[in-house]
Amino acid sequence: MRNERGGQGLLAQLRDPPGGRNARIMLLALTLDRTGSGLWAASSVLYLTFVTRLSAEEIGVLLGVAGVAGIAGSPLAGRLAGRFPLRPLLIGCHLLRLVTLVLVLVCGSFEALLPVIAVTYLGDRAAKTLEMLFATRTAGERRAAYQALSRSASNAGYGLGAGIAAIGLAVGTNDAYRALILGNALSFAVAAALVWRTGEPRERTVEVTGAPVGAASAGERSSARRAGPWRDRGYLTFVLLDIPMNLDDSILGVGLPLWLVNRTSAPHALIPAFLVINTVMVVVLQISVSKRAEGPRRATRAVQLYGAMVFVCCVLLAAATRGGTWMATAALLAAALVVTLAELMRSVSSWELAVLLAPRDARAAYLGVAGMSQSIQKSAGPPLLTGAVMAAGPAGWLVLGTLVAGFSAVQGRACARRLRALSPPAAHRPVPAPTDPGRVPNVPSARRSDGATSETRQHSPGTPDW
């Protein structure tokens, strides 16, 4: 059945995703949520500039503070999800953002908008963490496949939102800007209604020889209760190393456009092509790439490949300053393609490892902490690129690529060590295939205590083992 699913197209897999009905409804809610996000991303700065009349400095402070507030959203969501049902928490996040965006429409001063937008960003980051926890519980061992579908659906929704926003921006009136913000708010209302139709997701385990394979070991449970993610040095090391593993986002959104404008002779009209390349590749290739990042061994290797691809991207950016217009154009387009491939690997492997490295009994709290890495990168990445990397010229890109490749190698080895330490005792592993009818049947897809699948699981044809 697994192989048959692997051969299905995107639309067929969206109709029958891992997790069944709950997952299908959540993917629709996710698409609508990201459609609203596309509206906000395309219109928020212009709304704040032309409707609320904020200065560029005020907008910068506003969005900077909001980004910092967003960092707190992931651990807060993880902590709450460890104590309360996941479904009402996610509905609450959607409704919170609905209320704050309505308040944005009625607030006209910097002082009033600052806490409102900060809470909006906190709710946004919390919702993303809860959505991934929902996927982890709903899709079980096929969470990587679900993550790939959610990435494709998210990018499709984001692109749709940006396209709708383009119409409103073309009109260019204050009412048009307000309509776009209101459209984002309404997307949260519909998403909340859809989540209401789902059932509360539950962790699924497989029993072998009377013991739940998906359960953590006794030592792991007591360690999680005693320490938690904030005192687990091994997991915090993973989270810290995961921050540079998210730099592809800033390279694509900040580094490529600014480098093109300030240091190359490539035409400025090339900048929208970067987003088009990224969006199309994510929608088309995410599912295929995700198959190569499922399970502990592949996810660890994908992290190392991520570092190699970011290094290649940085070399191409450095080379874009050499030669004429055609050389710069070719190098920048190739850099956009390579950094998108890196993003495709990171988006699945990063979350897969965050799940596998977390004790099952405390998974929600651990994943909340893991979600901070992306938020921190969004705040620290752009200043790093503009203030240090680009200021140093081509050499700055080469140094950045070398550092990310080095961090990825360290991350891969650290993850491999922790996964070995979390391996369950032999009694909890799947038993061999029976040789007589009276023995316990084999369970090929049983999950270990670290969340990984057993080695007896069959690989899909055509999927290389990295």
Side-chain angles (χ1 to χ4, degrees):
M1 182 66 179
R2 180 181 179 83
N3 294 347
E4 292 174 4
R5 287 179 181 271
Q8 290 180 351
L10 173 61
L11 292 180
Q13 293 188 62
L14 287 172
R15 287 194 294 268
D16 185 22
R21 175 181 177 274
N22 270 4
R24 186 164 55 250
I25 295 174
M26 277 298 300
L27 286 171
L28 178 57
L30 189 67
T31 302
L32 292 172
D33 183 342
R34 299 303 185 269
T35 300
S37 298
L39 291 172
W40 172 263
S43 61
S44 57
V45 171
L46 294 177
Y47 175 86
L48 295 172
T49 300
F50 296 113
V51 178
T52 60
R53 303 294 180 181
L54 299 185
S55 67
E57 292 77 11
E58 288 175 325
I59 293 175
V61 172
L62 195 70
L63 298 181
V65 171
V68 173
I71 295 174
S74 292
L76 177 61
R79 187 173 182 84
L80 291 174
R83 300 183 177 186
F84 303 102
L86 190 59
R87 178 170 153 269
L89 288 175
L90 183 54
I91 293 172
C93 282
H94 288 321
L95 295 180
L96 174 66
R97 291 184 291 169
L98 167 65
V99 171
T100 55
L101 281 181
V102 171
L103 290 176
V104 166
L105 292 173
V106 299
C107 292
S109 67
F110 171 80
E111 293 76 12
L113 284 168
L114 185 62
V116 170
I117 294 185
V119 173
T120 301
Y121 275 60
L122 184 146
D124 183 74
R125 189 64 245 177
K128 285 180 171 62
T129 298
L130 293 172
E131 286 164 352
M132 293 313 302
L133 283 168
F134 190 102
T136 300
R137 296 179 182 180
T138 299
E141 69 176 34
R142 299 198 63 220
R143 58 184 171 268
Y146 179 94
Q147 165 74 337
L149 289 173
S150 70
R151 286 272 300 159
S152 297
S154 296
N155 275 266
Y158 196 89
L160 175 62
I164 296 173
I167 299 174
L169 299 180
V171 175
T173 64
N174 286 357
D175 286 341
Y177 294 138
R178 291 189 180 96
L180 294 175
I181 302 299
L182 181 60
N184 187 17
L186 290 177
S187 74
F188 298 141
V190 179
L194 287 171
V195 175
W196 182 263
R197 295 181 56 200
T198 66
E200 180 66 25
R202 303 291 181 187
E203 293 279 6
R204 293 183 292 178
T205 60
V206 179
E207 291 191 5
V208 178
T209 65
V213 177
S217 66
E220 186 181 337
R221 288 194 300 268
S222 62
S223 175
R225 285 194 298 266
R226 182 177 63 253
W230 294 107
R231 298 176 64 184
D232 187 334
R233 288 183 295 178
Y235 199 82
L236 288 179
T237 299
F238 163 76
V239 174
L240 290 174
L241 288 173
D242 201 44
I243 296 172
M245 298 298 103
N246 282 271
L247 273 172
D248 58 274
D249 180 70
S250 292
I251 291 174
L252 180 70
V254 177
L256 272 167
L258 291 181
W259 190 249
L260 181 151
V261 171
N262 295 312
R263 301 300 291 267
T264 77
S265 58
H268 295 185
L270 193 66
I271 293 176
F274 300 150
L275 179 59
V276 172
I277 289 172
N278 179 264
T279 302
V280 172
M281 288 183 65
V282 169
V283 172
V284 174
L285 298 178
Q286 183 70 78
I287 294 175
S288 176
V289 171
S290 74
K291 297 175 186 176
R292 295 157 173 81
E294 288 182 331
R297 184 169 56 183
R298 292 180 177 183
T300 302
R301 292 178 181 176
V303 168
Q304 296 170 329
L305 279 174
Y306 173 89
M309 288 197 170
V310 171
F311 176 78
V312 171
C313 171
C314 290
V315 170
L316 288 168
L317 288 170
T321 59
R322 307 290 183 180
T325 300
W326 287 107
M327 174 65 180
T329 298
L332 290 169
L333 287 175
L337 186 149
V338 172
V339 79
T340 298
L341 288 174
E343 175 193 344
L344 289 169
M345 289 187 215
R346 182 265 304 163
S347 62
V348 176
S349 64
S350 180
W351 189 261
E352 181 78 355
L353 288 170
V355 173
L356 295 176
L357 297 174
R360 178 177 293 278
D361 287 33
R363 181 171 285 172
Y366 272 70
L367 294 183
V369 173
M372 291 178 61
S373 58
Q374 187 175 6
S375 299
I376 293 173
Q377 186 282 139
K378 284 182 177 295
S379 297
L384 171 67
L385 293 183
T386 57
V389 175
M390 295 174 62
W397 286 112
L398 296 178
V399 171
L400 177 69
T402 302
L403 288 175
V404 172
F407 284 136
S408 70
V410 174
Q411 179 81 299
R413 288 194 294 268
C415 289
R417 284 195 301 269
R418 184 175 174 94
L419 287 168
R420 286 194 296 268
L422 290 175
S423 295
H428 283 182
R429 290 177 182 168
V431 297
T435 55
D436 63 77
R439 296 185 63 183
V440 178
N442 183 40
V443 185
S445 60
R447 293 178 61 199
R448 306 182 315 188
S449 65
D450 60 1
T453 55
S454 71
E455 292 298 323
T456 57
R457 188 181 69 186
Q458 298 296 318
H459 296 301
S460 301
T463 301
D465 190 1
W466 283 348

